[in-house]
Amino acid sequence: MARVSAGVYTSHVPALGAAMDHGKTAEPPWAPIFAGYEFSRRWMAGHVPDVILLVYNDHANAFGLDLVPTFALGTAARYEPADEGWGARAVPSVMGHPELAAHIAQHCILEDFDLTLVNRMDVDHGLTVPLSLLFGAQLAWPCPVIPLAVNVIQYPVPSGRRCLALGRAIGRAIGSFGPDLNVQVWGTGGMSHQLSGQRAGLINAAFDHDFMDRLIDRPEELVQMSHVELVREAGSEGIELVMWLIARGAMDCALPTVAHRFYHVPASNTAVGHLILEAD
Ligand code: DHB
Ligand code: FE
């Protein structure tokens, strides 16, 4: 049977993609951030899974106000990096895993989660920056990736409670897939940040540390928070953290091992947070 072996959580700041693409990772202000991912790259080199299910959000590149799916599961065989206005990043195409994606779709929809199935889409920095952070520059990504795009852009966004529950259903789906696959589930976005409006530049480090503490072994506590509270504490784009709850829910492990934990302010206008949790 397939199983979820680990969860990787990371911010997906687009400027980090640009820093990697333009060879600036050793320069200020980026160097301390990339230092925080050095361990992660060594860890990944020894823990390449068979498949990654990557929970992220599209930033009005594949979807826009014409179409706002709450939970969109990629069931395609291949995805291209999106052109976000300055040309697509020169990173490899993303190979999907249609068989496992179709199984997750069937399992979750029959468990009453109304997923949208996407057979064609481009993937933006929400998905490609985490791959670059963890794998570095590659000619081909080392494993297939199933994208799960969550609407955290256009109100109303899904609650943390719904996200944790969906993650748990995804974990059951993966655990009931016949082939013996090692699957990682990645949650991206966050940490606290607000990109526009009166509170632009908001960072709440105390909130971020507490969120990471509780994500590890008390994720149920985090879902008590309403989305208004989450936006108040973490900023309008900090709502992206609900995606970490999907990834955490998919790992059926009450007390995971913390392989790595990193936090840094600032990156662009954002607090960067990163966790690697290993299932028992
Ligand atoms: C920025 C954009 C993001 O999507 C994000 O999650 C963090 C930061 C930015 O433009 O700086
Ligand atoms: Fe984002």
Side-chain angles (χ1 to χ4, degrees):
M1 289 296 193
R3 69 175 211 106
V4 177
S5 59
V8 174
Y9 307 83
T10 180
S11 305
H12 59 216
V13 188
L16 296 180
M20 290 184 278
D21 297 347
H22 296 102
K24 295 189 185 298
T25 57
E27 295 175 18
W30 310 112
I33 301 167
F34 289 98
Y37 285 85
E38 275 168 20
F39 171 88
S40 318
R41 288 187 179 175
R42 287 196 302 278
W43 181 91
M44 274 311 307
H47 293 82
V48 177
D50 297 310
V51 189
I52 295 168
L53 186 133
L54 201 154
V55 186
Y56 77 111
N57 67 289
D58 176 73
H59 301 73
N61 291 302
F63 308 118
L65 293 183
D66 287 348
L67 181 65
V68 187
T70 303
F71 299 114
L73 182 73
T75 42
R78 183 185 178 112
Y79 310 87
E80 301 304 334
D83 181 345
E84 302 185 41
W86 45 85
R89 289 187 66 211
V91 292
S93 303
V94 174
M95 298 302 153
H97 198 298
E99 299 79 13
L100 179 56
H103 176 81
I104 292 170
Q106 167 167 318
H107 182 104
C108 290
I109 289 170
L110 293 179
E111 270 205 39
D112 305 331
F113 290 90
D114 305 316
L115 301 180
T116 299
L117 306 185
V118 189
N119 289 314
R120 192 174 66 186
M121 68 174 165
D122 292 343
V123 288
D124 76 7
H125 69 267
L127 184 135
T128 63
V129 166
L131 290 176
S132 297
L133 285 170
L134 274 294
F135 291 122
Q138 298 282 341
L139 292 176
W141 299 121
C143 66
V145 177
I146 298 173
L148 176 63
V150 179
N151 169 43
V152 289
I153 296 283
Q154 172 62 31
Y155 192 87
V157 302
S159 67
R161 181 183 317 282
R162 190 64 171 160
C163 288
L164 186 66
L166 173 61
R168 289 186 169 151
I170 290 170
R172 288 189 289 274
I174 292 169
S176 64
F177 188 60
D180 184 20
L181 296 180
N182 174 346
V183 181
Q184 285 177 7
V185 181
W186 292 17
T188 79
M191 296 210 83
S192 57
H193 64 300
Q194 173 146 343
L195 298 178
S196 60
Q198 282 184 352
R199 299 200 307 161
L202 174 145
I203 302 284
N204 185 346
F207 172 87
D208 291 336
H209 287 296
D210 179 63
F211 189 95
M212 285 206 268
D213 286 345
R214 295 205 267 175
L215 187 82
I216 294 165
D217 57 359
R218 287 163 289 147
E220 304 76 17
E221 289 181 16
L222 291 172
V223 309
Q224 307 301 326
M225 215 178 340
S226 71
H227 56 285
V228 172
E229 238 177 303
L230 189 51
V231 167
R232 188 183 300 133
E233 294 296 327
S236 52
E237 279 73 36
I239 191 76
E240 290 180 344
L241 284 169
V242 295
M243 299 184 293
W244 291 35
L245 290 167
I246 297 179
R248 182 64 186 88
M251 199 164 71
D252 180 20
C253 178
L255 194 56
T257 299
V258 182
H260 187 49
R261 179 171 177 161
F262 174 66
Y263 184 78
H264 181 86
V265 176
S268 180
N269 277 325
T270 312
V272 166
H274 175 38
L275 273 174
I276 299 177
L277 302 183
E278 294 175 1
D280 298 331

